[in-house]
Amino acid sequence: MSAIHNAVAIFDLPAPPQASALPVPNSTHSFWINTPGANPLAQEGSEGDLIADVDVCIIGSGITGTSAAYHLGKSFAGKEGPALKVAILEARDFCSGATGRNGGHLTAEIFDNFVFRESRYGAEEAKKAHKLEIHTEHELVDLIKAEGWESLVDLVSNHRVGLLQTDKEYQSTKADYDAAKAAKADLIERVEWLTEKKVLELYGSSHPGYKHPGNNVWPLKLVTQLYKLAKRLNPDLNLYTNTPVTSITRSDSNSRRWNLSTHRGNIHSSYVIHATNAYTSHLLPHMHGPKGIIPTRGQAIALRAAAPSSEITPDAWVGTLGWKYWFPRPVSSPEEHPLIILGGGRDEVGPGLESYIIDDSTVNVNAGKALRNYLPPLFPGKYEEGREPEMEWTGIMGYTKVGDPSDQSLTLLSPKITTRGSCFNMSNMHETKGILDLPSPQRFSVLPVPNPTHSFWINTPGANPLAKEGSEDDLTADADVCIIGAGITGVSSAYHLAKSLIEKEGKESQYGTEEAKKTIKLEVHTEQELVSLIKSEGWETIVDLVSNRRVGLLRTDDEYQTTKKDYDAASAARADSIEHVEWLNETEVSETYGSSHRAYRHPGNNLWPLKLVTQLYKLAKKLNPDLKLHTNTPVTSITRTSNNSRRWSLSTPRGEVLSSYVIHATNGYASHLLPHMHGPNGIVPVRAQALALRAAASSAEIREDAWIGTLGWKYWFPRPVSSPDKHPLTILGGGRDESGPGLELYIVDDSTINDDVGKALRAYLPPLFPGKYELGREPEMEWTGIQGATLIGDPFVGPVIDVTRAPDYYTGQYIVAGYTGHGMPRAYACAEAVVGMITAEITGRDWGMPDWFPRHFLTTERL
C-alpha cells in the first residue's frame, strides 16, 4: 500500500482508551505461513529452559526483529571479547505477525507520497525517506543473491505497475512524480509512463499506468534464511517462540537495566528492542493513539487466475492509490495458471478503515468482497467473476500519523512500518448459555481501561474515600497472600483471611447432594451474613441498606411459564426460603405498584455496593493491621520465584511482590493473567449497562421495592429518599437483549456505552408504570461495567487448574470469579470458601466444604 493520504483519515478517529493487547493465539491461515513446510522455525525455542540473562533482548521475530539480530551478529562477528548474548522473544509462532501476512512486495517507493513528505519535511528529507527504502531493497536483494537464496525465498525481480483508473488517481500520482523528479530523487529516471493503449497491449487492462523495476518474495522464507544467517554469525543468538513479554520493569541487577516478564520466567537484559510494530503500545502504552502507533488490520487473499502465466505476466501491481496491491506467484511453466496474492480493500469497510483492530483471527466480509470483485472487470477474461480464493487471511499493520517509522532511544524502539513492513445483574441462565455459544474472539482479557464511564456508585462525590489508597507509597515487597482485585470478592477474601486469624476453631462441614438447592443456599448464606454484619457493625445508614422486597414482573405468558416452572421445581425440592415467595395477579400488581402485569415477590435488600466494600475493607484492616491495599497497581504477569519462602512473583509497573498465595478476584478480566481461562469454557467478559433515572412520581407512589423484568434482562430499584414526597432516583440496569447478537460479550471497555442499550433502558419503565416515569426524560448518569460469565452460569472457586500443565503448576494460586451477574449475592461466600482452603493448607488441616457450598462451583470438579 503506497499512498499515505489513504490512511490519514484514521488519525482523525477517536482512539480506544486501552493500549494494544498481545497478538491473538489463533490467527487466520496465511498462504505464506500455513503452506506445508513454509515455517520450519515455527515452534523454535517454545519449550525447555528460558535464558535468564542477555545483552540484547529483541521482542518480535518478524522482518524488523530478525534484521536487528542479523545486524547485531554482523557488527560483532570476529571481534575479540565475550560473544554478544541476544534473545528474540516471539508471542506466537516464528514470524507469524505482519511479515508473515503481508503482500510479499519487496519494492521501494521511488516517488509515491513525495508531495506529502516534501510539504512537511522539505525535499531532502522526502528524498531520504525514499532512499532508505531503496537501500533496503538493494541490500536485501544483494544478500539473497550473494547467499544463493533466490529459489529458497522465491525471489522474482520484475516490474511494479501502478494502475490509474481515474483522472484523480492520475493527477495525484503525476504530482508526486513531478515533485520527485524536480528534486532529482534517486532512481526517478527508471519510471516509465504507460498510455491506456500500452497497458492494454501489455497487460489487457484499459487504463493508463506507470512502471518501474521491483521485486517480490516469500516474506517468511526470507526472514527464516535471515535468522539462520544471524545464528551462524552469532551462535549465542537464541529464538524463543510462543513466549510473549507481558511487562518490562527496571531490574535490581547492577549489570542489567531491564527485567522482561514472560509466563516462562524472567529475562534480564541491558538493551531491549521493541520490534512489535502494531503491538508496540502493549508494552509502551504512551505509544497508543494517533500520536503513536495505530494497529490497523490488513487483509489478503490467494486467488487463482483464469489465464496462464504467459498472459498474466510476472509483474506486480498497485491500484486505487494503494488500496489494492497484487502479484502473481511464480509458476513452473508459462501455461500454468498462477496464484495471485491480492491485498487491501480497507477502503470499502467503512469509516473505521479497520484501525485499532488487533484481531487477525477473523476477516472483514466487506474487505473480502471488495478483493473478490476487484480484478475481473479490470482484466477481462483473465480473472473469473465469482471465483472463491484458495486462502484468505488478515494481519495487523502499524500506522503512524506521518507515515514513517519511529526510532527512539528510550529502550531502543525499532522502526515500525506503515503498511510496508515486509455491579450488575445478569440472572437469566437461558440468555447466558446463548451468548456463550457465540464464537470467542481469540484474545485474552486485557487490563481494565483507565478511564471508565462515571458510575453513580463510584463517582458521586465522597463515595470512594479509598480510591487512591496505597497508589503512591512504597509497594509491599513480600506477602503471605496477594489478592488481585479490590471489589466485593477481593475485599471479602481479605476480611475472611483476617477473621480466620483470630478464630480458634474451623467450621464443621457436611457434603450435600442437591446442588441446585446449594446454589440457592449459598446466596441465602451470603445475604444473611452480610445483612447481619451490616447491622451488627451499625453500618445501615453508611451503606444505604434498604431491606425490602424483590418483585419479578412477568409481562408475557412465556415469562410466566418459565418462572413458574423454576418455582415449582424449587418448591418440590424444598429449597431454602421458597416459602417466602408470594405470587401476585394483575389486579394486585396494579393496585400495589401501578403496573398491569402478573408478578411474584420475596424479601430482599439493596445497598450502595462500594460503600459496603469500603466498610468491609476497614473492618478487615482493623482485624489485621498487616493488610495493605495498593490501588492503581495493575499486575501484568505472575511468574515462579526462585525464593524458597515465596512461590510467586507478581510484576507491576511499580515493582514486584513476592507471595506464597495468590487469589485471582478479577472476574471478567481473569484471562489476562490466566490465559487458559479465556473463552466459553472459562470466563467470558460481558459489558453491562446501567443508568440513574429520576422518577416522575413520589417515593410514596414508587415504593421501596426492587424489581426484575423480562426474565432478568432488566433490573431496577429506587434509591432511598429523605421524605416520602421526594421523587427517588431509580437505578436501572440491563438492556443487553437489545444490543445485537453479540450481547456485549468479550467487550472489556467500560469507557463507553452502547447507544442501543441506553435507548432500551430509557424506553422501558414509562409504559410499564404510566405516570410514574416520564417518557423522554434523560438519565442523570449512565455507565457500563464488565461482568464475568461462565457456561453454566456459576463461578469458578478453588485452586487454579490448567489441564494442559502439570498438576502442581499453579500451586498456591486460587480463583474466585465468573459470577454471571450474581456477584453481590455470591462473592462474599465464595471468597469465604477459598480463604477456608488457604487457611486449611497453612494450618495443615483438610478443608471441610461448608454445607451451603455447591460442589460444582469447585475448579477441581470443572477443570
Side-chain angles (χ1 to χ4, degrees):
M1 287 188 214
S2 64
I4 285 177
H5 46 266
N6 71 19
V8 169
I10 71 173
F11 297 96
D12 294 327
L13 297 171
Q18 71 271 26
S20 291
L22 288 166
V24 299
N26 63 334
S27 51
T28 49
H29 283 198
S30 155
F31 172 83
W32 308 120
I33 298 172
N34 298 98
T35 297
N39 197 359
L41 296 174
Q43 303 284 320
E44 182 77 12
S46 60
E47 296 180 352
D49 293 337
L50 187 70
I51 194 168
D53 183 89
V54 294
D55 296 294
V56 182
C57 194
I58 302 167
I59 308 172
S61 68
I63 184 66
T64 304
T66 304
S67 294
Y70 165 69
H71 288 302
L72 282 168
K74 196 166 81 164
S75 298
F76 285 85
K79 292 188 177 180
E80 295 182 1
L84 194 71
K85 291 191 291 183
V86 180
I88 299 177
L89 301 180
E90 170 58 53
R92 300 189 296 200
D93 287 356
F94 177 69
C95 196
S96 59
T99 305
R101 303 174 170 279
N102 64 27
H105 299 251
L106 180 55
T107 300
E109 289 184 341
I110 293 177
F111 65 87
D112 308 62
N113 308 303
F114 198 91
V115 171
F116 178 90
R117 291 190 173 103
E118 185 180 36
S119 66
R120 282 158 177 76
Y121 314 112
E124 287 306 309
E125 282 295 296
K127 287 167 65 176
K128 282 189 176 182
H130 293 269
K131 198 166 187 173
L132 179 142
E133 295 201 8
I134 293 168
H135 172 78
T136 298
E137 177 188 348
H138 287 179
E139 286 287 305
L140 282 175
V141 171
D142 288 348
L143 181 63
I144 290 168
K145 291 179 178 179
E147 295 290 331
W149 296 344
E150 294 96 317
S151 59
L152 290 174
V153 304
D154 285 357
L155 174 67
V156 176
S157 295
N158 49 19
H159 288 94
R160 181 198 194 187
V161 185
L163 199 63
L164 306 171
Q165 296 174 243
T166 67
D167 286 341
K168 181 180 178 181
E169 290 177 12
Y170 182 89
Q171 295 301 329
S172 176
T173 304
K174 193 65 163 59
D176 279 332
Y177 170 80
D178 290 342
K181 186 176 180 181
K184 298 181 180 179
D186 287 34
L187 303 186
I188 193 68
E189 69 279 0
R190 297 190 182 185
V191 178
E192 178 185 356
W193 288 85
L194 306 173
T195 63
E196 289 182 23
K197 182 179 179 182
K198 192 66 174 178
V199 173
L200 182 62
E201 178 186 321
L202 292 175
Y203 303 108
S205 186
S206 301
H207 299 284
Y210 64 90
K211 69 178 182 179
H212 56 74
N215 310 272
N216 50 265
V217 295
W218 191 305
L220 171 60
K221 291 185 176 181
L222 170 59
V223 175
T224 299
Q225 295 305 315
L226 196 59
Y227 174 77
K228 290 178 179 179
L229 178 56
K231 179 74 171 174
R232 196 164 73 228
L233 291 169
N234 178 16
D236 283 323
L237 168 65
N238 289 289
L239 168 64
Y240 299 98
T241 62
N242 294 282
T243 308
V245 177
T246 53
S247 67
I248 304 176
T249 54
R250 285 202 170 271
S251 174
D252 295 331
S253 168
N254 293 327
S255 60
R256 302 299 186 198
R257 296 187 183 105
W258 299 105
N259 177 46
L260 292 85
S261 296
T262 81
H263 69 279
R264 299 172 62 189
N266 293 353
I267 297 178
H268 295 277
S269 182
S270 296
Y271 297 90
V272 177
I273 298 178
H274 294 260
T276 49
N277 204 20
Y279 301 98
T280 298
S281 66
H282 171 65
L283 294 170
L284 301 173
H286 65 282
M287 297 297 293
H288 174 62
K291 293 184 178 179
I293 298 173
I294 294 181
T296 304
R297 186 167 66 178
Q299 193 156 323
I301 61 175
L303 182 72
R304 186 70 60 181
S309 178
S310 57
E311 294 181 44
I312 297 294
T313 82
D315 288 345
W317 294 76
V318 65
T320 55
L321 291 181
W323 287 112
K324 314 289 189 308
Y325 39 94
W326 67 101
F327 75 89
R329 291 271 303 127
V331 293
S332 55
S333 71
E335 294 79 27
E336 189 178 339
H337 290 213
L339 196 63
I340 309 298
I341 306 298
L342 168 63
R346 290 188 306 109
D347 52 325
E348 300 186 50
V349 302
L353 299 175
E354 297 285 84
S355 60
Y356 296 106
I357 295 179
I358 56 173
D359 182 4
D360 58 5
S361 70
T362 60
V363 299
N364 184 297
V365 175
N366 291 330
K369 183 178 179 181
L371 293 176
R372 287 163 172 78
N373 294 337
Y374 185 66
L375 293 177
L378 282 181
F379 299 91
K382 296 188 177 183
Y383 298 93
E384 181 183 347
E385 192 83 44
R387 175 171 288 187
E388 280 297 298
E390 297 182 14
M391 292 186 80
E392 185 170 15
W393 65 93
T394 51
I396 311 303
M397 307 178 292
Y399 271 73
T400 67
K401 197 163 189 176
V402 300
D404 295 314
S406 174
D407 187 355
Q408 300 178 1
S409 59
L410 172 65
T411 48
L412 289 185
L413 180 64
S414 81
K416 83 95 214 77
I417 303 169
T418 302
T419 75
R420 300 188 58 73
S422 283
C423 144
F424 296 107
N425 176 19
M426 191 173 76
S427 63
N428 191 332
M429 280 292 299
H430 307 290
E431 58 88 1
T432 301
K433 291 179 179 177
I435 65 171
L436 293 171
D437 288 335
L438 295 171
S440 159
Q442 299 304 315
R443 59 173 288 186
F444 313 135
S445 289
V446 295
L447 288 167
V449 299
N451 59 332
T453 48
H454 282 200
S455 156
F456 172 82
W457 307 118
I458 297 172
N459 298 99
T460 296
N464 196 2
L466 296 175
K468 301 292 186 183
E469 181 76 12
S471 62
E472 294 182 353
D473 51 4
D474 291 341
L475 186 68
T476 301
D478 183 88
D480 295 299
V481 182
C482 191
I483 302 168
I484 307 172
I488 182 68
T489 303
V491 174
S492 293
S493 298
Y495 168 69
H496 289 303
L497 278 167
K499 199 169 104 173
S500 69
L501 294 174
I502 60 173
E503 289 179 347
K504 295 181 179 178
E505 297 182 0
K507 298 180 180 178
E508 293 182 356
S509 65
Q510 292 178 322
Y511 291 87
T513 58
E514 297 171 274
E515 288 292 290
K517 288 173 65 177
K518 283 196 174 182
T519 301
I520 297 170
K521 198 167 187 175
L522 179 140
E523 294 199 8
V524 172
H525 171 79
T526 298
E527 179 185 352
Q528 291 176 349
E529 286 286 304
L530 281 175
V531 171
S532 295
L533 181 62
I534 290 167
K535 291 180 177 179
S536 66
E537 293 291 331
W539 295 344
E540 296 98 316
T541 303
I542 295 174
V543 304
D544 285 357
L545 175 67
V546 175
S547 294
N548 50 18
R549 286 171 293 193
R550 183 201 196 187
V551 185
L553 199 63
L554 305 171
R555 301 168 63 193
T556 67
D557 286 339
D558 182 60
E559 292 177 12
Y560 180 85
Q561 295 301 330
T562 299
T563 304
K564 193 66 165 61
K565 186 177 179 180
D566 282 336
Y567 169 80
D568 290 342
S571 182
R574 299 180 181 177
D576 284 39
S577 301
I578 193 69
E579 70 278 5
H580 295 310
V581 177
E582 176 187 2
W583 289 85
L584 306 174
N585 60 35
E586 292 181 15
T587 302
E588 290 171 319
V589 174
S590 180
E591 289 176 354
T592 307
Y593 300 107
S595 186
S596 301
H597 299 284
R598 291 171 288 184
Y600 65 91
R601 67 183 179 186
H602 56 75
N605 307 272
N606 52 263
L607 43 65
W608 194 305
L610 172 60
K611 291 185 176 182
L612 169 63
V613 175
T614 300
Q615 295 306 312
L616 198 58
Y617 173 78
K618 291 178 178 179
L619 179 57
K621 179 75 171 173
K622 189 163 66 179
L623 293 170
N624 177 19
D626 286 328
L627 170 63
K628 302 290 184 183
L629 169 63
H630 298 286
T631 62
N632 294 278
T633 307
V635 177
T636 53
S637 67
I638 304 176
T639 54
R640 283 195 174 275
T641 177
S642 56
N643 186 312
N644 292 327
S645 63
R646 301 300 186 200
R647 296 185 182 110
W648 299 105
S649 173
L650 293 84
S651 296
T652 82
R654 300 171 61 195
E656 292 186 336
V657 179
L658 301 181
S659 183
S660 298
Y661 295 89
V662 176
I663 299 177
H664 294 262
T666 49
N667 208 20
Y669 301 97
S671 67
H672 170 65
L673 295 170
L674 301 172
H676 67 281
M677 297 298 293
H678 173 64
N681 291 322
I683 297 175
V684 175
V686 182
R687 184 169 67 178
Q689 194 157 322
L691 50 77
L693 183 71
R694 186 70 61 181
S698 67
S699 178
E701 296 178 63
I702 297 294
R703 305 177 69 93
E704 289 186 333
D705 290 345
W707 293 77
I708 186 171
T710 55
L711 293 180
W713 286 111
K714 314 290 190 307
Y715 38 92
W716 65 101
F717 74 90
R719 291 270 303 128
V721 292
S722 56
S723 67
D725 59 326
K726 292 283 183 92
H727 290 212
L729 196 63
T730 298
I731 307 298
L732 168 63
R736 291 187 306 104
D737 51 325
E738 302 185 49
S739 67
L743 297 175
E744 297 287 88
L745 81 164
Y746 295 108
I747 296 179
V748 293
D749 181 4
D750 58 3
S751 70
T752 61
I753 59 173
N754 183 303
D755 289 338
D756 291 333
V757 172
K759 183 178 179 182
L761 293 176
R762 287 164 170 78
Y764 185 68
L765 293 178
L768 283 181
F769 300 90
K772 296 188 177 182
Y773 295 93
E774 182 184 350
L775 192 62
R777 176 172 287 190
E778 279 298 297
E780 297 182 16
M781 293 185 80
E782 187 169 14
W783 63 94
T784 50
I786 311 304
Q787 306 167 326
T790 69
L791 191 60
I792 64 172
D794 296 318
F796 288 93
V797 181
V800 174
I801 296 173
D802 181 355
V803 295
T804 67
R805 297 188 181 276
D808 62 348
Y809 185 85
Y810 282 105
T811 297
Q813 292 195 43
Y814 290 80
I815 185 170
V816 198
Y819 299 109
T820 317
H822 277 257
M824 286 302 294
R826 292 184 173 187
Y828 179 88
C830 290
E832 183 179 352
V834 156
V835 167
M837 297 174 198
I838 295 173
T839 304
E841 182 178 330
I842 292 173
T843 58
R845 295 183 291 106
D846 291 333
W847 176 64
M849 187 169 65
D851 63 356
W852 45 260
F853 188 82
R855 179 177 292 274
H856 72 274
F857 282 22
L858 292 173
T859 55
T860 52
E861 298 290 318
R862 295 169 63 177
L863 296 173

